């Protein structure tokens, strides 16, 4: 993950918009959830093994590599990631790329799929236009 090419976000945005317009939001959800079984397999295993620490390490790495403005706070069984300036949304806006109508939903959908596979829950509250969000992660109740 050492080489980051932020135009990836532009491709993702266009792809998500295409999927939603031609196949609906359920197709977007299916595509993103499928990433859990392919792209995010190692991450899911890390979350199973190390719990919230793995999630914190993941997001710390992502936002440091991409130059995001964020704060992370762990309290008890909850990890909260507060994104003050999303590097993906900022890049899309600065480059004049399409920001898919539900672009930030991909974060919620992927987080939920990864966490569900690893025994955790995730929630995301976002302001897409401002490029801000709050993500919360907890161990799932059994």
């Amino acid at each position: 993950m050492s080489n980051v090419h932020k135009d990836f976000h532009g491709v993702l945005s266009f792809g998500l918009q295409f999927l939603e317009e031609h196949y609906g939001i359920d197709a977007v959800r299916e595509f993103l959830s499928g990433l859990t079984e392919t792209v995010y397999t190692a991450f899911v295993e890390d979350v199973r093994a190390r719990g919230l620490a793995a999630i914190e390490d993941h997001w710390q790495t992502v936002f440091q590599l991409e130059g995001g403005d964020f704060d992370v706070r762990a309290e008890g069984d909850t990890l909260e990631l507060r994104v003050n300036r999303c590097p993906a949304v900022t890049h899309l806006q600065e480059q004049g790329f399409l920001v898919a109508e539900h672009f930030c939903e991909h974060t919620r959908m992927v987080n939920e799929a990864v966490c569900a596979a690893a025994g955790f829950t995730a929630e995301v509250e976002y302001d897409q236009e401002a490029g801000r969000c709050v993500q919360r992660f907890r161990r799932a109740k059994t």
Side-chain angles (χ1 to χ4, degrees), residues 54-138:
I55 297 170
E56 181 174 359
D57 288 350
H58 170 78
W59 284 113
Q60 288 271 1
T61 299
V62 168
F63 283 104
Q64 287 172 0
L65 282 171
E66 293 197 23
D69 177 7
F70 67 100
D71 299 298
V72 179
R73 185 180 64 157
E75 189 173 302
D77 68 344
T78 301
L79 177 71
E80 181 177 281
L81 171 66
R82 190 169 294 274
V83 179
N84 306 308
R85 187 184 61 77
C86 174
V89 172
T90 300
H91 179 74
L92 294 173
Q93 291 169 336
E94 288 174 350
Q95 298 303 311
F97 288 140
L98 165 78
V99 180
E101 183 177 350
H102 296 107
F103 181 75
C104 291
E105 275 293 289
H106 87 276
T107 299
R108 184 183 62 75
M109 290 178 187
V110 170
N111 282 354
E112 286 177 353
V114 165
C115 286
F120 287 78
T121 64
E123 60 186 57
V124 179
E125 299 167 15
Y126 59 84
D127 179 343
Q128 180 168 298
E129 191 173 314
R132 290 190 300 259
C133 71
V134 176
Q135 302 176 38
R136 288 183 194 86
F137 305 90
R138 295 178 182 88

Side-chain angles (χ1 to χ4, degrees), residues 26-37:
D26 287 339
V28 172
R29 185 174 288 104
E30 183 179 334
F31 167 73
L32 293 170
S33 294
L35 295 178
T36 306
E37 299 163 8

